[in-house]
Amino acid sequence: MIVKRAPEGIAPYLRDASNFPGGSADEVLIPETLEDLTGFLKSNTLPVTVAGAGTGLTASRIPESGRIVSLEKFDYMGGIEDGSIEVGPAVSLSALDERLSGTPYFYPPNPTEWLASVGGTLATNASGSRSYKMGVTRDHVLGAEIVLADGRRVDLRRGQTIQDPLELDDGSRIEFPPVRYRSPRCKNAAGYYVQPGMDWLDLFIGSDGTLGIFTRVRLRLSPRPAGFLSGVLFFDREEACWDLVIRLRGLGRAAIAPCSLEYFDHGSLVRLRREYENIPERARAALFFEQDVAREEEMDPCLEAWVETLEGFDVLLDDSWFAGNERDVARFHEFRHAIPMLINEENSRLGRVKIGTDFAVGDSHLAELMKLYRQVLGESGLDHVIFGHLGDNHLHINLLPGPEEVARARAVYDTLAARILEWGGTVSAEHGIGKLKKDYLAKMVGSEGLGDMQTIKRALDPAGLLGRGNLF
Ligand SMILES: Cc1cc2nc3c(=O)[nH]c(=O)nc-3n(C[C@H](O)[C@H](O)[C@H](O)COP(=O)(O)OP(=O)(O)OC[C@H]3O[C@@H](n4cnc5c(N)ncnc54)[C@H](O)[C@@H]3O)c2cc1C
């Protein structure tokens, strides 16, 4: 076990992409083996926060006190077997992608940030642009080795449901407690996932580092498509972009089956233009779309179907970009990644804590949602950008207040959250709750729902040591 106690050794682990200040820990422990980790946990009595790659946006890996456990040495990558691969939690999505290149497989969850670790993406049930069609992290996990806060270990596979107790390596058992809470059916990363008869695995996935530590994971891979048809469409009215997405979803045309529908509002384009001069001057909004195409010979007919369809909409087709090769597809992903990066950099430079939404609602509310955002943000007069997963009705609004505008920004956030909850939506569709959105989780699930989640937490971590300060 490597131990770091010097402040300069601990400091890098007190940060993530949220800019949350004020984390504190006595030491960082870096186990080199599973036995290092379980041995330590069996005698530990202090709070433990697990560190992944630190790309999280909710301060969930930033400890309030106690010890940090970093699994950075758990970077094992196994061979591909029956369309799946076993990896250690420290493996980054980019390393996994590299490992799979040249194979007939790929790993669909793509949370934009390729430095994220597999362990972190499981803990947050990360999703991304391709989740619109290909699902979230939970849909791609076949099994995991998990260590509880007290050092007991369990090997979980699909099909081990909460109807049976969790069987731990020392022969002890944990029953799933009787709770009434049920997770919403929309894309959601707020609080524990609870559905009748679900797999135990699904409870741990998305538990914000509070129920167990992933030490080994088996991921389900998907057949690699022949390619991705991809483009960035520009619009001279934001409404034209929203309308296209709503109508594309109802088209029912086999050749039009996008896996990504990602939005950029005018504020995003203004910032991106500093790096991408070829964004058309008159563009007020953009949509990055992608479609996985199974066979090479389907590529041209698919492109023709897209162009024919788009001609019927209010798109600046002559100014839009279409990928001609894999390099272009990668460049469009960089373009998509650039906007949160620009905002995160700007926040760091100005010492601004992130005030960003992760709300999602059901399909029927998309048009109302976008109008609400425009109206409330317009009236607020606050600088902001809106980008993200329009296909999933899941946009990220980043409020960018000056120092004297922070209270106003928080009030705007509250107004929007209240309406989202009235529509049965979620306050976090993919980033999780962490330490930044606890009040909103409480509003979303109510005192009874929160009480049920605390009951689940107590069943698995009675001393409340793991990820203390997250969720509750
Ligand atoms: C530019 C940018 C864009 C992003 N876009 C998206 C997006 O589109 N979709 C999305 O979902 N997210 C997005 N994110 C957020 C982030 O990438 C994800 O939340 C990611 O899953 C975090 O992984 P990490 O390894 O960095 O985890 P960390 O930030 O280190 O930790 C996150 C949580 O996971 C827990 N954890 C880490 N490892 C383990 C483990 N082995 N066992 C148990 N718990 C563990 C931590 O304790 C913490 O609670 C973005 C971030 C950035 C910076």
Side-chain angles (χ1 to χ4, degrees):
M1 177 96 90
I2 300 166
V3 181
K4 295 186 181 180
R5 291 207 179 93
E8 62 274 18
I10 299 175
Y13 297 87
L14 300 179
R15 290 196 289 267
D16 71 1
S18 69
N19 283 330
F20 182 71
S24 167
D26 301 337
E27 54 188 12
V28 179
L29 304 174
I30 306 177
E32 293 177 272
T33 62
L34 183 64
E35 292 66 37
D36 275 357
L37 175 67
T38 54
F40 148 70
L41 289 171
K42 280 176 185 162
S43 59
N44 172 58
T45 55
L46 293 179
V48 168
T49 303
V50 183
T55 70
L57 295 165
T58 63
S60 59
R61 81 146 199 176
I62 301 179
E64 292 175 340
S65 63
R67 291 161 162 157
I68 294 167
V69 167
S70 168
L71 298 181
E72 62 206 60
K73 298 286 180 195
F74 287 54
D75 56 358
Y76 158 82
M77 269 198 267
I80 299 171
E81 278 172 44
D82 295 333
S84 72
I85 187 168
E86 193 171 72
V87 299
V91 167
S92 68
L93 294 179
S94 66
L96 179 61
D97 190 53
E98 208 170 297
R99 168 75 182 76
L100 297 177
S101 76
T103 76
Y105 297 103
F106 85 118
Y107 179 63
N110 166 23
T112 317
E113 180 47 75
W114 287 88
L115 296 178
S117 70
V118 166
T121 60
L122 260 75
T124 57
N125 188 29
S127 56
S129 58
R130 291 176 182 160
S131 299
Y132 173 59
K133 179 171 171 185
M134 298 179 175
V136 298
T137 296
R138 181 175 285 121
D139 301 316
H140 301 273
V141 179
L142 292 177
E145 176 185 71
I146 295 169
V147 174
L148 300 188
D150 60 10
R152 287 180 291 170
R153 185 178 57 78
V154 60
D155 271 310
L156 280 176
R157 290 183 313 281
R158 285 278 158 218
Q160 290 176 258
T161 72
I162 55 167
Q163 277 145 345
D164 296 319
L166 196 65
E167 303 210 358
L168 295 139
D169 62 333
D170 65 350
S172 60
R173 295 169 149 214
I174 297 176
E175 298 277 350
F176 188 78
V179 294
R180 288 167 54 169
Y181 173 75
R182 299 285 177 266
S183 301
R185 288 284 183 185
C186 67
K187 186 179 181 187
N188 180 43
Y192 299 146
Y193 179 82
V194 185
Q195 290 297 342
M198 68 179 186
D199 288 353
W200 276 102
L201 204 47
D202 289 330
L203 173 66
F204 287 96
I205 298 170
S207 63
D208 250 345
T210 63
L211 294 182
I213 304 176
F214 297 102
T215 49
R216 205 156 27 89
V217 182
R218 181 161 289 281
L219 300 172
R220 183 170 67 80
L221 305 173
S222 294
R224 185 178 289 281
F228 286 92
L229 178 74
S230 176
V232 179
L233 307 174
F234 292 100
F235 304 80
D236 58 8
R237 288 180 309 114
E238 292 187 323
E239 292 81 352
C241 180
W242 315 340
D243 182 51
L244 174 68
V245 166
I246 291 167
R247 289 172 59 193
L248 278 181
R249 292 198 302 209
L251 216 54
R253 193 170 166 186
I256 308 283
C259 59
S260 305
L261 289 170
E262 298 282 304
Y263 183 63
F264 304 81
D265 78 338
H266 185 234
S268 306
L269 295 182
V270 167
R271 280 180 165 79
L272 282 166
R273 205 172 271 120
R274 293 175 203 152
E275 289 188 11
Y276 296 86
E277 287 169 9
N278 52 343
I279 293 174
E281 259 322 307
R282 58 188 174 137
R284 304 285 303 176
L287 184 74
F288 161 53
F289 79 93
E290 237 191 346
Q291 176 161 330
D292 49 314
V293 181
R295 289 194 303 273
E296 194 59 51
E297 60 271 25
E298 292 167 5
M299 209 58 136
D300 285 344
C302 216
L303 178 60
E304 279 160 28
W306 268 91
V307 173
E308 189 191 299
T309 303
L310 292 174
E311 276 167 351
F313 288 89
D314 208 356
V315 182
L316 301 175
L317 259 188
D318 291 342
D319 291 330
S320 294
W321 308 337
F322 290 90
N325 50 41
E326 268 186 40
R327 171 86 195 101
D328 287 346
V329 175
R331 282 170 56 207
F332 292 170
H333 275 274
E334 282 161 24
F335 180 73
R336 169 63 183 84
H337 184 229
I339 184 63
M341 288 304 286
L342 282 173
I343 299 300
N344 290 347
E345 274 160 24
E346 194 176 303
N347 283 345
S348 297
R349 190 162 26 85
L350 301 175
R352 211 162 41 194
V353 173
K354 189 174 174 72
I355 308 183
T357 73
D358 188 22
F359 306 142
V361 293
D363 280 358
S364 57
H365 290 293
L366 179 56
E368 286 169 285
L369 177 80
M370 298 310 285
K371 284 185 195 139
L372 172 78
Y373 285 174
R374 266 291 144 257
Q375 185 209 330
V376 174
L377 292 166
E379 285 169 7
S380 77
L382 291 165
D383 193 8
H384 65 273
V385 295
I386 310 178
F387 58 87
H389 322 296
L390 191 58
D392 285 320
N393 322 307
H394 172 205
L395 283 306
H396 299 298
I397 301 172
N398 277 246
L399 293 155
L400 308 169
E404 70 294 346
E405 294 172 325
V406 173
R408 196 141 50 89
R410 295 205 188 281
V412 165
Y413 188 104
D414 286 354
T415 303
L416 297 175
R419 187 64 72 84
I420 298 295
L421 294 181
E422 276 170 30
W423 287 336
T426 176
V427 292
S428 174
E430 69 180 4
H431 297 156
I433 293 297
K435 298 187 177 66
L436 300 188
K437 297 187 176 169
K438 293 190 273 194
D439 293 351
Y440 298 97
L441 175 68
K443 282 186 187 150
M444 178 174 153
V445 303
S447 56
E448 205 179 311
L450 205 62
D452 281 348
M453 289 187 196
Q454 282 163 331
T455 304
I456 295 170
K457 168 76 174 165
R458 273 194 300 277
L460 291 155
D461 177 16
L465 297 181
L466 204 53
R468 186 174 288 182
N470 291 349
L471 298 183
F472 311 115

